[in-house]
Amino acid sequence: APQNTAGFAQQQNTPLFLKEKGSARGKENFFSREKKLSFPLASSPFTLIELLVVIAIIAILAAMLMPALQKAREAGREITCKNNMVHVGKATEQYSSDNREYFVPRRVDWTGVTTENKPWGWALVQGKYFAGYPTWNDSYAAYNPMQIRSMECPSENRKRSSEDSVKHVNVQLNGTYDFAINMNTHRILPGTPVSRTKLRNPSQTMQFMDGKDAWIQYNLGGNAKLRHGTKYNMLFEDGHAGSREGSGIVFGGGSAAYGNAIWASTATDAVKNKFWKN
């Protein structure tokens, strides 16, 4: 008898759960397959002790890494400080170029009265040598143009003034400065200015350094301030920034300080001839 091949083929292509539609066996096959495809249950969570162990390990690692991170942050601040010094040095260099190679004065007695003097940063602002330099604009409006960002060291954290409105270096106010200029090379105006062409060793003579006042010299060590470990950042008269160990800078009024190349002192004729050309 002829076989019903079409029916057989249809049966072969029919899904398993439809082959025995309505039967208990068909339902069993369908649900048993579905069960095989299901995902296993999630594993049990951490115990309290395991969680505390993990937290303790993280805390230990953080404590080990913290000094290294702080050291890296301070290294970044030291680099920023030197970069700021170089930017300020470009302004003082431009001043000298425009004024017959004379150094920028450390102080300008602008009315002829000593008690109404203005520091060297103020002279640069008035001469527009800081034109285009970013300023801090978060205080009394009249102070904003005087708050040159490059005049600051990012490692400084002292309270600069009793005035709450003075939070940054204000070039009109001596005690707010972070960079103290060398009094031996930068004189007072009105007076006799000094030409930078007369300096014998500009790459060894400090122009300004880490400090907490507008100016400094060998007998004003209290105006210096260590901010970067045991070293002072400083800009030299040739325009390059560097650092010197605090123990290597001679402070005081003795001949040892006079003979220190950083200061280029004019205390005696012998010392003057060592650092200055006739």
Side-chain angles (χ1 to χ4, degrees), residues 95 103-127 171-172 174 177 181 186-191 214-215:
Y95 174 95
F103 288 117
V104 63
R106 71 173 182 268
R107 192 181 83 197
V108 178
D109 293 342
W110 64 287
T111 64
V113 180
T114 304
T115 55
E116 295 184 5
N117 63 74
K118 298 294 184 184
W120 57 279
W122 178 88
L124 294 174
V125 168
Q126 296 305 309
V171 297
Q172 299 179 100
N174 298 10
Y177 277 58
I181 206 163
H186 299 263
R187 306 289 178 79
I188 298 172
L189 286 181
W215 43 73

Side-chain angles (χ1 to χ4, degrees), residues 144-161:
N144 291 339
M146 303 295 171
Q147 298 185 143
I148 310 300
R149 293 194 182 204
S150 296
M151 291 285 284
E152 292 191 11
C153 172
S155 294
E156 182 54 73
N157 56 13
R158 78 184 190 279
K159 183 176 174 61
R160 301 179 189 279
S161 172

Side-chain angles (χ1 to χ4, degrees), residues 58-278:
I58 293 173
I60 292 170
L61 291 175
M64 293 171 63
L65 290 173
M66 192 60 67
L69 291 174
Q70 290 176 341
K71 188 174 181 179
R73 281 198 295 267
E74 174 50 35
R77 288 191 290 265
E78 183 177 351
I79 291 171
T80 300
C81 176
K82 288 179 181 177
N83 287 339
N84 286 350
M85 287 183 167
V86 170
H87 292 156
V88 175
K90 292 183 183 301
T92 61
E93 181 180 3
Q94 189 60 51
Y95 174 95
S96 296
S97 297
D98 290 347
N99 292 274
R100 295 183 291 173
E101 299 303 317
Y102 292 137
F103 288 117
V104 63
R106 71 173 182 268
R107 192 181 83 197
V108 178
D109 293 342
W110 64 287
T111 64
V113 180
T114 304
T115 55
E116 295 184 5
N117 63 74
K118 298 294 184 184
W120 57 279
W122 178 88
L124 294 174
V125 168
Q126 296 305 309
K128 301 189 185 305
Y129 294 105
F130 281 137
Y133 282 53
T135 59
W136 297 103
N137 298 315
D138 60 355
S139 64
Y140 180 54
Y143 286 167
N144 291 339
M146 303 295 171
Q147 298 185 143
I148 310 300
R149 293 194 182 204
S150 296
M151 291 285 284
E152 292 191 11
C153 172
S155 294
E156 182 54 73
N157 56 13
R158 78 184 190 279
K159 183 176 174 61
R160 301 179 189 279
S161 172
S162 58
E163 293 185 48
D164 292 336
S165 58
V166 180
K167 297 181 176 64
H168 302 284
V169 170
N170 185 313
V171 297
Q172 299 179 100
L173 307 174
N174 298 10
T176 67
Y177 277 58
D178 287 352
F179 304 146
I181 206 163
N182 189 350
M183 295 173 65
N184 297 322
T185 48
H186 299 263
R187 306 289 178 79
I188 298 172
L189 286 181
T192 304
V194 181
S195 173
R196 61 179 181 170
T197 62
K198 299 292 186 180
L199 190 61
R200 290 188 184 276
N201 304 299
S203 64
Q204 299 176 37
T205 302
M206 178 267 295
Q207 180 175 169
F208 52 79
M209 64 184 291
D210 282 326
K212 53 185 179 181
D213 202 279
W215 43 73
I216 190 170
Q217 67 175 356
Y218 47 81
N219 60 354
L220 290 176
N223 287 359
K225 185 171 183 183
L226 280 172
R227 298 191 186 98
H228 310 288
T230 60
K231 295 182 179 182
Y232 292 103
N233 280 354
M234 55 182 64
L235 188 83
F236 293 86
E237 293 291 9
D238 68 342
H240 87 276
S243 58
R244 291 289 184 274
E245 282 287 344
S247 58
I249 301 176
V250 182
F251 291 106
S255 59
Y258 297 158
N260 193 301
I262 284 177
W263 303 115
S265 173
T266 57
T268 66
D269 288 340
V271 172
K272 180 179 179 180
N273 293 333
K274 181 179 180 181
F275 299 122
W276 297 92
K277 303 173 187 175
N278 293 326

